[in-house]
Amino acid sequence: MTEPLLKVENLHVSFSTRGGIVEAVRGVDIEVAQGGTLAIVGESGSGKSVTAYAVTQLLDRSARIPSGRILFRGDDITRASSSRMNSLRGAAISMVFQSPRTALNPIRGIGRQIMDAIEAHQNLPKAQVRARALELLEAVRIRDAAGRFDAYPEELSGGMCQRVMIAMAMACNPSLLIADEPTTGLDVTTQKTVMDLLARLTAERNMALILITHDLGLAARYCRDVVVMQEGKVVERASTAELFGNPQHPYTRKLVAASPTFESTVDDLVGEAPRPPAPAIARERGAPPLLDAEGLVKRFGDVAAVDRVSLKLGRGESLGLVGESGSGKSTISRMICRLVDHDDGRLLFDGEDIGSIPARDFHASPRRRDIQIVFQDPHDSLNPRFSAFDCIAHPVKRLVKPQDAAELKRRVEEAAERCGLPRDLLGRFPHQLSGGQKARVGIARAIAVEPRLLVLDEPTAALDVSVQAVVLKLLDDLRRDEGLSFLFVSHDLNVVRMMCERIVVMRQGTVVEEGASKDLFTAPRAAYTRELLDAIPHFEPQRALAG
């Protein structure tokens, strides 16, 4: 039997904290052969990334490995010296990190950073190193690689930065590539491009690939074997076909159930009995829409970020707005919320021309209370100096003006309760809350003023699948109970299909298709819509290693 390229045996990793010793990895066993593809899946805190950092010895200083072995090509590197690991990292074992903008040097050109990776392991003439770096940029399909060689990371999109990270990781032809959540935050088509690129390059070079992800669809599409981790332990391991075809462990079954598919409903995600579609409040023929946007235009310099976009949203209706990064989705949502002004067009809310009110003055308008937004990143959108209570209370004080502290407290606690946020968490600050809890604070803050329209800008993009399922169920319940209208902005078409009755598809600032969710999924008219649908990763093990 061939010896595995990497074999991790009974690995334990612990961290010293002010509260004592925390065991992050507890007895993990994994292995991958040369040319093999292994997915390590699980939610935040399961130990996935800590396991990878232990393999590469990139753990925090407070970490230690009390027991276990890490064998690479049969050699025990568990406690290898710094010089030994420096010779391995990049040359034999490379890593693609989750956030390329954080991992790349912001004050050094991308081509120069790739040259640094080559020069760290190979003694070659400068001209040859530069030629190799340019060749790598072309291999990862950076358009106009020569022209962008000296560009800085801030001048590139998130997808392009991730390609640069892949080029750096491939620079010295390693035998093992570890990709740690390499597509988090990328839209579906960019995600597919990046993953197809990784799969193609690793296959061509017979490299082993370990994909760390909480996206089970990616694992199913790109890996032959899967390891499921929970609370620092491996709870299930199997081939992709076996695991997704017949998951054995309750936690695996929970993850599979919580992952949206083309057929699932919000109730399916949380294991509840299906309910009839949410009723719309006003569907009478000829009833005026709650929101009526006509010919909206927004320019940034010479670029039209939004180019004559029109959309209507009825009372109690949920409208999905989908498309790639840069399609204009978030710009439209901010114009509708009156956070930015439009350059042309008309914006009516309940028959009133709110577009005629400058964005800088809209906070004083009575309509400010009617239109609220839930932002993509719940951490960045919450004031770190405010407790959860204060975050929710702030807009209530400004827009509702409660009579006294007792009424303010009642409104905040009611909003928190409706969002499933326990009262004992209201005194905590954002850094003391989990991602799901922070998302609930953001939603509670928005609904505390009793709006009529809720704009949801990628509200679950940064959440694990089970937390996402709970938040989507919460939003669906709020809509049913409160009669809210939703503008749901997302690049996740499966989520939008479950949450919205109609979908508007955007590309490069324009609308390319609009229709009922069911029709758009079953019979899309536009080629771009079909491209988006094809890019969604889902449980089809036979399509592993696409590209």
Side-chain angles (χ1 to χ4, degrees):
M1 184 176 178
T2 305
E3 184 76 20
L5 177 68
L6 175 73
K7 187 172 186 178
V8 176
E9 298 177 337
N10 193 32
L11 180 67
H12 289 256
V13 181
S14 59
F15 290 83
S16 297
T17 70
R18 282 180 288 183
I21 301 297
V22 175
E23 289 188 87
V25 173
R26 301 183 288 168
V28 164
D29 296 297
I30 61 171
E31 62 180 59
V32 62
Q34 185 75 47
T37 52
L38 173 70
I40 304 178
V41 305
E43 297 176 292
S44 299
S46 62
K48 309 184 304 294
S49 295
V50 173
T51 300
Y53 291 150
V55 169
T56 54
Q57 282 199 15
L58 293 175
L59 289 168
D60 187 86
R61 288 184 178 181
S62 64
R64 59 185 293 266
I65 301 176
S67 61
R69 293 201 307 165
I70 302 168
L71 304 175
F72 183 73
R73 293 189 180 128
D75 293 335
D76 189 346
I77 62 169
T78 315
R79 294 169 183 83
S81 65
S82 296
S83 59
R84 168 70 172 145
M85 289 307 301
N86 286 339
S87 67
L88 285 176
R89 281 194 299 260
I93 305 173
S94 278
M95 197 160 180
V96 176
F97 296 95
Q98 178 172 347
S99 176
R101 292 197 186 278
T102 302
L104 292 173
N105 188 331
I107 59 172
R108 200 163 176 79
I110 59 171
R112 183 63 252 188
Q113 293 188 57
I114 298 173
M115 291 177 65
D116 292 341
I118 298 170
E119 290 172 338
H121 298 282
Q122 299 176 11
N123 185 18
L124 299 172
K126 186 74 71 177
Q128 194 172 335
V129 174
R130 183 180 178 87
R132 170 67 176 152
L134 182 59
E135 178 187 316
L136 285 162
L137 286 175
E138 291 171 344
V140 296
R141 297 178 182 174
I142 296 288
R143 290 189 297 273
D144 185 21
R148 295 190 174 187
F149 192 90
D150 295 317
Y152 293 97
E154 66 174 15
E155 300 177 271
L156 305 179
S157 68
M160 288 294 166
C161 284
Q162 196 59 285
R163 294 186 194 204
V164 173
M165 280 294 303
I166 294 171
M168 291 176 64
M170 298 285 190
C172 297
N173 294 314
S175 301
L176 171 63
L177 182 67
I178 302 174
D180 186 10
E181 300 279 9
T183 61
T184 297
L186 301 181
D187 55 65
V188 286
T189 51
T190 306
Q191 172 181 268
K192 183 177 185 300
T193 299
V194 168
M195 286 307 304
D196 284 353
L197 175 64
L198 273 175
R200 178 178 62 83
L201 292 174
T202 52
E204 288 175 354
R205 302 175 187 213
N206 195 35
M207 295 167 55
L209 172 67
I210 295 180
L211 173 65
I212 298 172
T213 182
H214 64 256
D215 188 330
L216 273 66
L218 284 183
R221 188 167 192 164
Y222 292 98
C223 295
R224 296 190 186 97
D225 299 293
V226 184
V227 164
V228 182
M229 290 188 66
Q230 180 189 24
E231 297 179 351
K233 295 181 178 180
V234 172
V235 296
E236 188 165 357
R237 74 185 80 236
S239 69
T240 303
E242 291 172 351
L243 188 132
F244 293 120
N246 186 25
Q248 298 297 305
H249 194 275
Y251 178 68
T252 309
R253 291 197 292 268
K254 174 189 171 186
L255 290 182
V256 171
S259 298
T261 68
F262 280 10
E263 294 81 27
S264 57
T265 66
V266 175
D267 296 316
D268 290 336
L269 300 187
V270 293
E272 294 187 2
R275 299 168 295 174
I281 296 210
R283 285 291 171 78
E284 301 88 9
R285 184 172 297 176
L290 178 67
L291 176 73
D292 187 357
E294 296 182 2
L296 291 182
V297 175
K298 181 63 181 177
R299 297 184 183 87
F300 295 101
D302 296 330
V303 177
V306 176
D307 191 6
R308 307 206 174 278
V309 169
S310 300
L311 53 87
K312 299 180 189 295
L313 177 62
R315 293 166 176 81
E317 187 181 19
S318 184
L319 175 67
L321 196 59
V322 303
E324 298 172 297
S325 298
S327 62
K329 307 186 304 294
S330 292
T331 302
I332 288 176
S333 70
R334 280 157 175 74
M335 286 193 290
I336 289 172
C337 290
R338 306 305 298 125
L339 298 178
V340 297
D341 288 316
H342 52 284
D343 296 320
D344 198 1
R346 191 170 68 147
L347 187 58
L348 304 179
F349 183 84
D350 201 16
E352 180 182 344
D353 184 6
I354 63 171
S356 63
I357 306 172
R360 66 177 180 275
D361 300 329
F362 193 72
H363 68 280
S365 165
R367 290 298 186 189
R368 172 75 287 162
R369 178 176 174 179
D370 288 332
I371 306 172
Q372 292 293 305
I373 185 169
V374 177
F375 294 96
Q376 176 174 352
D377 191 325
H379 181 77
D380 287 347
S381 66
L382 299 178
N383 190 327
R385 297 181 179 85
F386 280 8
S387 67
F389 182 96
D390 293 333
C391 287
I392 301 170
H394 184 66
V396 177
K397 292 176 183 176
R398 289 180 54 248
L399 301 176
V400 181
K401 299 182 176 18
Q403 294 181 348
D404 51 34
E407 183 185 351
L408 174 66
K409 183 173 183 290
R410 177 184 61 79
R411 281 185 172 272
V412 171
E413 290 180 348
E414 283 182 359
E417 183 178 353
R418 279 151 62 197
C419 293
L421 186 70
R423 290 187 183 183
D424 60 359
L425 296 182
L426 289 174
R428 296 189 182 182
F429 291 86
H431 74 275
Q432 298 172 309
L433 301 173
S434 70
Q437 290 165 347
K438 283 182 280 196
R440 289 168 187 259
V441 173
I443 296 169
R445 177 178 60 182
I447 68 168
V449 298
E450 300 177 354
R452 299 170 66 191
L453 169 62
L454 203 56
V455 177
L456 300 145
D457 188 3
E458 303 275 11
T460 62
L463 302 179
D464 290 323
V465 287
S466 64
V467 179
Q468 172 182 266
V470 172
V471 172
L472 292 177
K473 178 68 164 59
L474 162 66
L475 289 169
D476 193 53
D477 288 345
L478 284 171
R479 183 181 162 220
R480 290 169 180 272
D481 297 340
E482 311 287 333
L484 288 168
S485 297
F486 283 177
L487 179 64
F488 204 105
V489 181
S490 180
H491 63 249
D492 190 328
L493 271 74
N494 275 331
V495 168
V496 172
R497 180 194 58 77
M498 291 187 299
M499 297 296 294
C500 304
E501 292 138 340
R502 291 189 301 117
I503 297 177
V504 172
V505 182
M506 293 195 62
R507 187 180 195 184
Q508 296 177 352
T510 64
V511 174
V512 298
E513 185 166 358
E514 178 180 358
S517 298
K518 182 179 179 181
D519 295 341
L520 190 138
F521 266 71
T522 55
R525 298 187 304 275
Y528 176 66
T529 306
R530 291 194 293 272
E531 182 182 337
L532 289 179
L533 293 172
D534 289 342
I536 299 173
H538 45 93
F539 304 137
E540 288 187 345
Q542 68 273 19
R543 292 179 64 182
L545 292 174

